[in-house]
Amino acid sequence: MANLRDSNIFQDFTVWINDNGKIGEAPNFQPPEINIQTEEFRGGGMDGTVEIPMGIEKIEFDFELHTWDEEVWANLGYGVGSLDVPITFRGYLLTAGGAEKGVIIETHSLIKSIKPGKVEPGKKASMTVNLCANYYRHEINGVTVTEIDVFNKINVIGGTDKTANARRILGFTY
C-alpha cells in the first residue's frame, strides 16, 4: 500500500527544444494529456452500450517561456521537419524519503501556435507555445511507462506493446 513516503513531488524541470536546454526560461510546462479515443457501440442482443477503444486521441500540450525564443519562431508551422520538432521535458521527483526519480517526456511535435504575452517596457517577454505530438515517450526513473508513435502504429503502455500484433497482421516489418 502506498503512503506519503512514496509520494512523488516535482522539484524542478526544464524544457529542451532541438536539444537546446531552456534552463531558467520555462516557468511552466503542461504535460500532454493522453486519452483513448472511443466510439459508442451497441450490437444486437446487447442490453446497453459500451465504449470501444479506437486508438489514441490527438496529443496536445503547451509550455510557456520567459523569452521570445527565436528557435521556437523558426520552427513554427510549415515545411520539411515541421511535424518532428524534438521537444523534451526533463525533471525530477522527490519522495518524502528523499529519493530522486528522473522524469523525461520526449516528443516529436508540430508547433501549432505561439501566443506572445503582453509587451510592456522594462518587463520580461513571454510566449505560450502550443504543440501537437506524433511521437510521445514518458520515462520515470529510467523506465518507459508509455510510448506512442502515431505514424508507426506503436503504442506501449505499462511495458506492453498493445499494437505489436496489429502491426504484424498489417505487414509492418518492425
Side-chain angles (χ1 to χ4, degrees), residues 145-164:
V145 294
T146 307
E147 181 177 19
I148 299 165
D149 186 336
V150 175
F151 290 127
N152 292 304
K153 197 170 181 64
I154 295 171
N155 190 336
V156 178
I157 298 175
T160 303
D161 187 344
K162 307 286 186 172
T163 52

Side-chain angles (χ1 to χ4, degrees), residues 117-131:
K118 186 175 182 180
V119 177
E120 298 179 55
K123 303 279 183 167
K124 66 180 178 272
S126 68
M127 62 175 22
T128 300
V129 183
N130 182 264
L131 305 106

